[in-house]
Amino acid sequence: MTIKEIARLAGVSSAAVSRYLNGGYVSEEKKEKIREIIEKTGYRPSIQARNLRTRQTRLVGVVVPKISSETISRVTDGIGKILQEKGYQMLLATTDNNPEKELEYMELFENYPVDGVILIATILTRKHRKHIRETKIPIVVIGQHLEGENCVYHDDYGAAKEMGIYVGKSGKQKIAYIGVTREDKAVGTGREDGFLSGLAKCGMKMKDGLRKEAKFTMESGYEKAFELLRDNSDIDIISCATDTIAAGALEAIQKDFPERKGSIQITGFGDNQFLKAVTGGIPTVHFGYKTSGVKGAELLIDIIENGQDISVQMKLGYEIKNLQSEKKRE
Amino acid sequence: MTIKEIARLAGVSSAAVSRYLNGGYVSEEKKEKIREIIEKTGYRPSIQARNLRTRQTRLVGVVVPKISSETISRVTDGIGKILQEKGYQMLLATTDNNPEKELEYMELFENYPVDGVILIATILTRKHRKHIRETKIPIVVIGQHLEGENCVYHDDYGAAKEMGIYVGKSGKQKIAYIGVTREDKAVGTGREDGFLSGLAKCGMKMKDGLRKEAKFTMESGYEKAFELLRDNSDIDIISCATDTIAAGALEAIQKDFPERKGSIQITGFGDNQFLKAVTGGIPTVHFGYKTSGVKGAELLIDIIENGQDISVQMKLGYEIKNLQSEKKRE
DNA sequence: TTGTACGCGTTATCAG
DNA sequence: CTGATAACGCGTACAA
């Protein structure tokens, strides 16, 4: 069913139908006739052909590393809220943490096309930077700092440093850390360096062999924590780079070393609500994930609608949660 | 940069460039010339214009109610795996459990367009049925049974019945149930009716006032469980329609009624791995969510590529996990 | 107010 | 093997 057929059936020109659809001049009687035919045939204009013509889609593509993550769904919640308000729709693409797929989908979005792209980033390779620099549609990066490009990110280093200080002052002696790949500048490098810096400020250091690198999954957190606990009988505290990893660490204690349950503390990052609900809450960092989604979407739409003169980098704060003093209430 | 400009720069016709891009007849020297120009300009064909012409996109749209859900990410994992193998890309749209948005996105996908749509369904309204019946692109529904249409669903009733029997035989006397809206035929109606039927088979019944209806969130599960515990001092067991709700119930016990922790059991549905890790595992039902994604995607692609003669409805089995006998190990 | 005619960037056809 | 040229479905000057 095309606009031509509708025109023919209604006995008008396709231009008249187009005007009817887009609010141009059409006489009342033709309007009525067209309405009737459209109603009867269930005709829908091809968005595709329209976009080819108008060069805008009111669509935003969002590339995410995975969807089974509370963190990411908070960000996309924020994005979705703004897009909805502004009359845009959101298309999501997941990449399973596969950088190649990230590029693929960014290209798909670029010439499918959409009006803009938001990338929730983990690892930014040289190819990523090149693509972001050269792409013709607006791109906003969320979760990583990228100098010279539009991005909204969190103060991972600062938060981790404060967490390090908390741990350093807690009186615990044997401290372990489970991080993630340092290729991830925010979660890997930022949190690890910040944490160590915080410890150092209290005159504490981590011993060799007490630093592990996990993937972004609970299973991986479980494995690394298991190794730590198996090889070290006197660990006091395990700080984890994400709450998901921390959940794995909790599992390791509970399942394989239940006798040490009382003597080991776990800390995390991300303020995972699920974890908080079922455990009562471990010390963790609350980042404004929903806010970063909101800010990122607002920035993108502003660029789409008003063009861009200079790039914007936005850093968001944090809050440490469930520290000792708060836990007394229970 | 368009195909015409490339053609002009390479001194050939646009048709030759098109053939070069799609593997048709081009002489070696022209090939080389075209390759060079494309390389130099970074030209990418407009997928959009191509699709307008070819009427196929190798793209599948997936409409989901939310993304912050382990259940749904297991399904999309399965879908993504198959699509990847078959050379399709996947676009996701989330609707926040808003039926209107579901329709909106299904229409977007239909004429944006994509080659097929998968709907992970919760509530199927009359409008949904109408749309699914009348749409011109193949649609597969996952998670709900829909007679006469393509769907892959789980045996919610059967699983719930078995859970009901387990609870009925457990010796617990005062049984509560937190379900979800009966508009959701699978999770709402199927699980509740199955559960009650299982209880009945053991000669058990639920007392009035011990049945609550929650939303699909932990917060809602918390509230309903809190009300139950506050108003009834002798509840033995709370069976929940999802593990997410169950997590909320665990929170209510832990936070507000810690003294009753040992005397109340919680059961769920969904075999949430996160919950299992941090709690050791409550009795729950494992459905083949990843499998339903796989089967749904295979079915869809088969229809896209080979057309469809008759509709297919596929029911998947289940497995009850973490029953008493298994828990003894701890 | 209306309709004709053209262009958006491709691919497919067909004559050379 | 190659290159014009006609679609694909729509929006929009422009002329009527």
Side-chain angles (χ1 to χ4, degrees):
Chain A
M1 196 55 52
T2 78
I3 199 171
K4 262 188 198 152
E5 298 181 63
I6 299 295
R8 191 172 50 73
L9 291 174
V12 301
S13 74
S14 62
V17 179
S18 176
R19 277 194 292 268
Y20 169 82
L21 255 14
N22 301 293
Y25 291 137
V26 189
S27 67
E28 278 308 323
E29 57 178 330
K30 300 211 170 188
K31 239 180 212 168
E32 178 51 31
K33 187 66 185 156
I34 295 170
R35 199 196 53 66
E36 187 186 318
I37 297 291
I38 288 183
E39 174 78 17
K40 198 160 62 189
T41 57
Y43 164 74
R44 302 266 165 206
S46 155
I47 297 184
Q48 154 146 272
R50 167 183 298 160
N51 294 343
L52 182 59
R53 218 7 251 244
T54 61
R55 294 164 169 293
Q56 72 136 335
T57 63
R58 295 201 84 74
L59 228 43
V60 165
V62 179
V63 180
V64 302
K66 56 178 177 176
I67 65 167
S68 59
S69 153
E70 202 181 289
T71 300
I72 285 164
S73 72
R74 279 198 234 159
V75 178
T76 57
D77 267 5
I79 295 171
K81 177 166 170 286
I82 299 303
L83 294 186
Q84 167 96 355
E85 285 170 12
K86 305 280 189 179
Y88 285 73
Q89 287 179 297
M90 172 169 71
L91 252 25
L92 246 47
T94 86
T95 64
D96 294 320
N97 280 301
N98 179 342
E100 283 305 314
K101 271 189 163 185
E102 272 177 29
L103 269 332
E104 259 178 45
Y105 275 108
M106 287 175 69
E107 277 178 19
L108 170 66
F109 279 140
E110 179 169 352
N111 47 39
Y112 189 59
V114 299
D115 290 346
V117 166
I118 293 178
L119 171 66
I120 301 184
T122 52
I123 299 173
L124 291 171
T125 65
R126 221 171 304 120
K127 279 189 184 171
H128 283 76
R129 291 170 209 277
K130 182 167 157 35
H131 182 92
I132 292 171
R133 202 176 332 111
E134 296 175 357
T135 182
K136 290 175 299 286
I137 59 175
I139 293 194
V140 170
V141 172
I142 292 183
Q144 298 283 337
H145 176 77
L146 191 53
E147 199 50 47
E149 306 290 348
N150 301 297
C151 57
V152 180
Y153 62 103
H154 305 276
D155 186 8
D156 289 281
Y157 183 89
K161 185 167 180 178
E162 195 168 326
M163 179 62 86
I165 292 172
Y166 163 74
V167 170
K169 286 186 176 166
S170 67
K172 309 282 184 184
Q173 293 305 314
K174 194 141 180 192
I175 301 164
Y177 181 80
I178 304 179
V180 301
T181 173
R182 290 181 66 87
E183 290 184 283
D184 185 324
K185 295 304 172 199
V187 182
T189 311
R191 292 186 190 171
E192 181 167 333
D193 291 354
F195 184 73
L196 292 176
S197 155
L199 286 185
K201 207 167 173 184
C202 308
M204 306 285 292
K205 268 182 71 174
M206 271 182 45
K207 300 210 179 57
D208 288 346
L210 295 186
R211 234 153 83 191
K212 296 276 182 181
E213 183 180 308
K215 296 197 169 48
F216 286 86
T217 65
M218 204 172 52
E219 292 73 23
S220 182
Y222 168 80
E223 280 170 30
K224 298 305 170 186
F226 179 84
E227 291 171 15
L228 281 171
L229 294 166
R230 180 195 58 200
D231 301 338
N232 303 275
S233 59
D234 50 353
I235 287 180
D236 273 329
I237 183 166
I238 304 178
S239 283
C240 305
T242 76
D243 273 10
T244 301
I245 293 172
L250 289 171
E251 182 184 11
I253 296 175
Q254 179 154 298
K255 201 162 139 195
D256 303 304
F257 303 92
E259 70 285 0
R260 294 162 70 180
K261 198 166 176 178
S263 60
I264 300 179
Q265 189 170 13
I266 304 288
T267 76
F269 284 80
D271 194 20
N272 185 298
Q273 294 304 298
F274 203 101
L275 186 61
K276 180 174 182 186
V278 292
T279 66
I282 61 173
T284 188
V285 176
H286 178 90
F287 290 112
Y289 288 125
K290 183 160 183 179
T291 305
S292 63
V294 167
K295 294 298 180 194
E298 285 174 348
L299 177 55
L300 182 69
I301 289 180
D302 184 49
I303 296 171
I304 290 172
E305 297 186 345
N306 307 316
Q308 150 155 262
D309 39 350
I310 51 166
S311 68
V312 176
Q313 290 90 42
M314 204 180 304
K315 180 158 92 173
L316 267 35
Y318 60 88
E319 189 184 346
I320 311 262
K321 307 264 275 191
N322 311 324
L323 296 189
Q324 206 69 4
S325 57
E326 285 192 67
K327 288 194 81 182
K328 277 183 193 153
R329 283 190 219 146
E330 292 171 22
Chain B
M1 196 54 55
T2 77
I3 199 172
K4 266 187 196 153
E5 298 181 63
I6 300 296
R8 191 174 49 75
L9 291 172
V12 300
S13 75
S14 61
V17 179
S18 176
R19 278 195 290 269
Y20 169 82
L21 256 14
N22 302 293
Y25 291 137
V26 189
S27 67
E28 278 307 323
E29 58 178 328
K30 299 211 170 186
K31 241 182 211 167
E32 179 50 34
K33 187 65 186 157
I34 294 171
R35 199 197 52 67
E36 187 186 318
I37 297 291
I38 287 183
E39 174 77 16
K40 197 159 62 191
T41 57
Y43 162 76
R44 303 260 167 214
S46 155
I47 296 183
Q48 156 147 270
R50 167 183 298 161
N51 294 344
L52 180 60
R53 204 32 235 234
T54 62
R55 297 165 166 293
Q56 72 136 334
T57 63
R58 295 200 84 75
L59 228 43
V60 165
V62 180
V63 179
V64 302
K66 57 177 178 178
I67 64 167
S68 58
S69 152
E70 203 181 290
T71 299
I72 285 163
S73 73
R74 279 199 234 158
V75 178
T76 58
D77 267 6
I79 295 172
K81 178 167 169 286
I82 298 302
L83 294 186
Q84 167 96 355
E85 285 171 12
K86 305 281 188 177
Y88 285 72
Q89 286 180 298
M90 172 169 71
L91 252 25
L92 246 45
T94 84
T95 63
D96 294 319
N97 280 302
N98 178 342
E100 283 305 315
K101 271 189 163 185
E102 271 177 29
L103 269 333
E104 260 178 44
Y105 275 109
M106 286 176 70
E107 277 178 16
L108 169 67
F109 279 141
E110 179 170 353
N111 47 40
Y112 190 59
V114 297
D115 290 345
V117 166
I118 293 178
L119 170 67
I120 301 185
T122 52
I123 299 173
L124 291 171
T125 64
R126 222 170 304 120
K127 280 189 184 173
H128 283 76
R129 290 170 209 277
K130 183 166 159 28
H131 182 94
I132 292 171
R133 203 177 331 114
E134 295 176 355
T135 182
K136 289 174 300 284
I137 59 176
I139 292 193
V140 169
V141 172
I142 292 183
Q144 298 283 338
H145 175 78
L146 191 53
E147 198 50 48
E149 305 291 345
N150 301 298
C151 57
V152 180
Y153 62 101
H154 305 277
D155 185 8
D156 289 281
Y157 183 89
K161 184 167 180 180
E162 195 167 326
M163 180 63 85
I165 292 173
Y166 163 74
V167 170
K169 287 186 176 166
S170 67
K172 309 281 184 184
Q173 292 305 315
K174 193 139 180 192
I175 301 163
Y177 182 80
I178 304 179
V180 301
T181 173
R182 291 182 65 88
E183 290 185 282
D184 185 324
K185 295 304 172 197
V187 183
T189 311
R191 293 186 189 171
E192 182 168 333
D193 291 354
F195 184 73
L196 292 176
S197 154
L199 287 185
K201 207 166 172 183
C202 308
M204 305 286 292
K205 269 182 72 175
M206 270 182 46
K207 300 212 178 58
D208 289 346
L210 294 186
R211 236 152 83 189
K212 296 275 183 182
E213 184 179 308
K215 295 197 169 49
F216 286 86
T217 66
M218 204 171 53
E219 293 72 22
S220 182
Y222 168 80
E223 281 171 30
K224 298 305 170 187
F226 179 84
E227 291 170 15
L228 281 171
L229 294 166
R230 180 194 60 200
D231 301 338
N232 304 274
S233 58
D234 51 353
I235 287 181
D236 273 329
I237 184 166
I238 304 178
S239 283
C240 305
T242 77
D243 274 10
T244 302
I245 293 172
L250 288 171
E251 182 184 12
I253 296 176
Q254 180 156 295
K255 201 161 139 197
D256 303 304
F257 304 92
E259 72 283 1
R260 294 162 69 180
K261 199 167 176 177
S263 61
I264 300 180
Q265 190 171 12
I266 304 289
T267 75
F269 283 81
D271 194 20
N272 186 298
Q273 293 304 297
F274 203 102
L275 184 62
K276 180 176 182 183
V278 292
T279 65
I282 61 172
T284 188
V285 176
H286 178 88
F287 290 112
Y289 288 126
K290 182 159 184 182
T291 305
S292 63
V294 167
K295 293 299 179 193
E298 285 174 347
L299 178 55
L300 182 69
I301 290 181
D302 184 49
I303 296 171
I304 289 172
E305 297 186 346
N306 307 317
Q308 149 155 265
D309 38 351
I310 50 164
S311 68
V312 176
Q313 291 90 41
M314 205 180 304
K315 180 159 92 172
L316 268 35
Y318 60 88
E319 191 183 347
I320 311 264
K321 307 262 275 192
N322 310 325
L323 296 189
Q324 205 70 4
S325 56
E326 284 192 67
K327 290 194 79 184
K328 277 185 193 150
R329 285 190 220 143
E330 292 172 23

